[in-house]
Amino acid sequence: MESEMKDLNSKPANSTAPADGPTKDDRPLLKPESTESLEELEKKFAAFVRSDVFGTMGRGELPLSEKVLLGIALVTLVPIRVILAMSVLVLYYLICRICTLFSVPNRDEEQEDYAHLGGWRRSVIVWSGRFLSRVMLFVLGFCWIKETYKIADAQDKSSSTQSEVNNQVEEPERPGAIISNHVSYLDILYHMSSSFPSFVAKRSVAKLPLVGLISKCLGCVYVQRESKSSDFKGVSGVVTERVQEAHRDKSAPMMMLFPEGTTTNGDFLLPFKTGAFLARVPVLPVILRYPYQRFSLAWDSISGARHVLFLLCQFVNHIEVTRLPVYYPSQQEKDDPKLYAENVRRLMAGEGNLIMSDIGLAEKRIYHAALNGNNSLPSVLHQKDD
């Protein structure tokens, strides 16, 4: 996620602005000679368009009333939230440090984690992590979380035939992965508070102060997004093994996967990558929404620093969660991961009233670069991710 936003917010290669000149946020969203208008861009890249009071990229002109609210929040709410959030983060880091003392992490090639610690250590890490994640959400203004649980019906579903539904064992199979749409980095906090799963993260996350140890306790699978080498078994292989392990072993953490590969504005669902479905085991679909009136919590085409600042300034924030029944793949879906992924995607789009879009991360980079006036993009940005 961090590398993605760096790519999105990078300056054009031919920029000649001095180091002490105006920041990129002071530049116009589009060059005067841009071949496409802002309206045309928003129509083409609708999945990444912001429509809150802060405008495109959070850089729109604010009304006086909004400026007053921001000013009040900056001197009152923001300092309190920063202190409390850092206190929660440090507290959980200390808990993880104590629980991992004298313990050797699991090492698999370039992966390293403490997700398979047993006994009281793992219990303390999980339950304190879930509790403190919810505390962190409360500190950030999420006083209430509306959760809806969908109940499976007996009608024919795209996920399996009627005979397969009727032949399910009395004790349903455990899903190996949680599948969620991706709207914001806040998605991770919610899922930590709900089920404390493992995530896929940048390899550099493991080296970050405080967060690095926490990510290892979560059992994150690390990936070097910029790397194109085929060393080892690859991230897909590691993820598949972890999903299969979670399916077989109830003590193993489930994988939390965002198959879209990037964030949207929350109204769309992008094509799913197949990595989450290669294990051919049941998955648990979860749909997240962030209702808002002033500031959208979607991390679509806004810089990370600006997003965090506006988040801290918003007095109350909301999450709506729809948890669908466990999705059991048919034999045809097990044999065809693309079909499996597409059927789960269609189910989530229908249940969550989300619009299905055929664009992805490459188009997101193009859109963001165009807003910053960079029309001479490297050809790699115009290629769809695998």
Side-chain angles (χ1 to χ4, degrees):
M1 181 72 72
E2 181 183 351
S3 63
E4 174 187 327
M5 293 310 300
K6 286 181 179 178
D7 289 341
L8 294 179
N9 292 312
S10 59
K11 292 184 179 180
N14 59 352
S15 174
T16 57
D20 58 349
T23 63
K24 61 178 178 295
D25 286 341
D26 295 325
R27 293 181 285 130
L29 296 180
L30 291 171
K31 285 184 177 180
E33 65 271 17
S34 177
T35 57
E36 290 184 291
S37 67
L38 182 59
E39 292 75 17
E40 291 173 329
L41 284 172
E42 290 182 346
K43 184 177 180 180
K44 181 185 297 185
F45 304 107
F48 312 120
V49 175
R50 299 186 66 81
S51 56
D52 58 12
V53 299
F54 292 85
T56 304
M57 298 178 69
R59 288 157 52 180
E61 182 64 30
L62 297 177
L64 179 60
S65 59
E66 192 62 42
K67 293 179 179 179
V68 172
L69 287 174
L70 283 176
I72 294 174
L74 279 171
V75 298
T76 58
L77 193 60
V78 172
I80 295 174
R81 282 182 168 171
V82 169
I83 293 172
L84 291 177
M86 287 303 301
S87 300
V88 172
L89 180 62
V90 171
L91 174 60
Y92 188 51
Y93 168 79
L94 293 175
I95 292 174
C96 291
R97 176 58 67 191
I98 292 172
C99 290
T100 56
L101 281 177
F102 311 113
S103 298
V104 178
N106 294 318
R107 289 189 174 90
D108 180 13
E109 296 168 354
E110 296 191 19
Q111 305 295 326
E112 181 178 319
D113 68 79
Y114 293 95
H116 298 82
L117 284 178
W120 66 268
R121 295 172 183 262
R122 184 61 187 169
S123 296
V124 171
I125 288 173
V126 172
W127 290 107
S128 62
R130 293 182 63 176
F131 174 73
L132 291 177
S133 296
R134 184 63 187 91
V135 171
M136 181 72 82
L137 287 171
F138 183 84
V139 169
L140 296 177
F142 296 94
C143 302
W144 304 276
I145 297 178
K146 180 181 178 182
E147 293 184 300
T148 302
Y149 291 79
K150 295 283 186 176
I151 301 175
D153 54 40
Q155 297 178 355
D156 182 55
K157 298 178 291 184
S158 61
S159 62
S160 60
T161 63
Q162 184 65 41
S163 60
E164 288 172 321
V165 174
N166 292 334
N167 288 333
Q168 290 294 327
V169 293
E170 291 184 4
E171 184 178 353
E173 295 180 84
R174 185 187 192 226
I178 301 171
I179 302 300
S180 176
N181 63 319
H182 203 7
V183 184
S184 174
Y185 51 83
L186 297 165
D187 303 347
I188 296 174
L189 269 181
Y190 166 74
H191 287 295
M192 285 181 63
S193 69
S194 175
S195 51
F196 204 79
S198 299
F199 297 87
V200 175
K202 271 189 63 180
R203 191 172 299 165
S204 59
V205 170
K207 301 178 182 179
L208 293 175
L210 305 179
V211 177
L213 177 61
I214 294 174
S215 71
K216 293 177 183 178
C217 289
L218 277 163
C220 287
V221 174
Y222 301 112
V223 53
Q224 188 67 36
R225 171 172 259 168
E226 295 80 7
S227 175
K228 298 298 181 182
S229 66
S230 56
D231 295 342
F232 309 112
K233 64 186 116 181
V235 175
S236 292
V238 176
V239 169
T240 298
E241 288 184 359
R242 293 285 295 276
V243 171
Q244 291 173 337
E245 181 183 7
H247 173 60
R248 295 189 306 265
D249 184 0
K250 292 183 178 181
S251 65
M254 281 197 292
M255 285 297 303
M256 171 69 247
L257 297 167
F258 301 106
E260 294 172 284
T262 189
T263 52
T264 68
N265 59 16
D267 295 326
F268 290 78
L269 200 62
L270 307 181
F272 281 5
K273 294 175 172 56
T274 59
F277 307 94
L278 295 173
R280 311 198 304 175
V281 301
V283 296
L284 177 63
V286 178
I287 303 166
L288 302 181
R289 279 190 176 276
Y290 296 86
Y292 68 93
Q293 292 183 342
R294 298 168 52 239
F295 172 63
S296 169
L297 298 179
W299 196 19
D300 36 34
S301 56
I302 183 173
S303 69
R306 186 174 289 268
H307 189 281
V308 171
L309 178 61
F310 290 157
L311 165 67
L312 295 174
C313 287
Q314 187 152 264
F315 291 87
V316 179
N317 295 297
H318 302 276
I319 302 180
E320 291 182 355
V321 184
T322 303
R323 302 177 73 87
L324 303 182
V326 175
Y327 190 106
Y328 298 93
S330 65
Q331 186 58 51
Q332 185 180 10
E333 290 171 324
K334 290 180 180 180
D335 296 336
D336 186 353
K338 289 186 178 180
L339 176 65
Y340 188 5
E342 183 61 18
N343 286 344
V344 173
R345 179 182 177 231
R346 289 185 180 278
L347 175 66
M348 292 177 64
E351 294 289 346
N353 295 317
L354 301 173
I355 304 170
M356 296 179 68
S357 173
D358 61 355
I359 61 178
L361 176 58
E363 288 81 3
K364 183 177 184 178
R365 288 170 170 164
I366 295 170
Y367 171 59
H368 202 279
L371 291 177
N372 280 292
N374 181 13
N375 295 321
S376 56
L377 297 170
S379 59
V380 68
L381 295 183
H382 298 271
Q383 300 173 358
K384 289 184 178 293
D385 289 354
D386 294 332

